[in-house]
Amino acid sequence: DMVFGFVFSQMAESQASAEVPEFNLSEFLGLTSEMRITTIASPEMILTKLIRVFGDDQRFTLSIAEDMKNEMLSNMGAGRKEEYNSPSGLAMLFDQSGGKITPAMAE
């Protein structure tokens, strides 16, 4: 604010009281936002990704998502570079984490 202090301070004060709707670039462009699975993804995000990619299945639980997160961290610690965002990469991680491949994964 030191360079533009006066101008932006006045704008910030006037906009602070106004309700600004949240802007979503993906929605604006008509795209579906992709959830990227990395070692910093939460188990909840992993579970959501499983359901989005393969559909709802009783084998998709928070517990298996936590195991998948631990497997990713283990792979990283062992120096293995794996890809988890494609359907095949996600299915392989699910299998390595103790899950049983579902019919949707086998397709």
Side-chain angles (χ1 to χ4, degrees):
D1 273 2
M2 291 305 290
V3 176
F4 304 106
F6 178 74
V7 175
F8 287 123
S9 293
Q10 294 294 327
M11 288 173 58
E13 288 174 14
S14 66
Q15 289 180 355
S17 61
E19 284 285 324
V20 179
E22 185 176 311
F23 178 76
N24 184 318
L25 183 60
S26 295
E27 286 178 12
F28 178 76
L29 296 174
L31 303 171
T32 303
S33 61
E34 183 178 339
M35 185 177 296
R36 309 275 308 160
I37 299 302
T38 66
T39 54
I40 60 172
S42 69
E44 291 82 8
M45 289 174 69
I46 296 168
L47 180 58
T48 299
K49 177 82 172 194
L50 278 171
I51 294 169
R52 279 188 185 175
V53 173
F54 300 113
D56 203 5
D57 190 289
Q58 66 183 8
R59 291 173 263 197
F60 300 158
T61 63
L62 194 54
S63 175
I64 193 71
E66 289 169 354
D67 293 343
M68 291 170 72
K69 167 93 179 188
N70 290 333
E71 183 68 24
M72 284 192 301
L73 294 172
S74 175
N75 288 345
M76 184 180 71
R80 289 179 51 194
K81 294 184 179 186
E82 300 286 344
E83 180 277 319
Y84 307 114
N85 289 294
S86 68
S88 59
L90 193 59
M92 188 172 72
L93 178 62
F94 180 76
D95 183 53
Q96 292 172 351
S97 303
K100 186 174 189 243
I101 298 295
T102 67
M105 289 177 177
E107 291 179 358

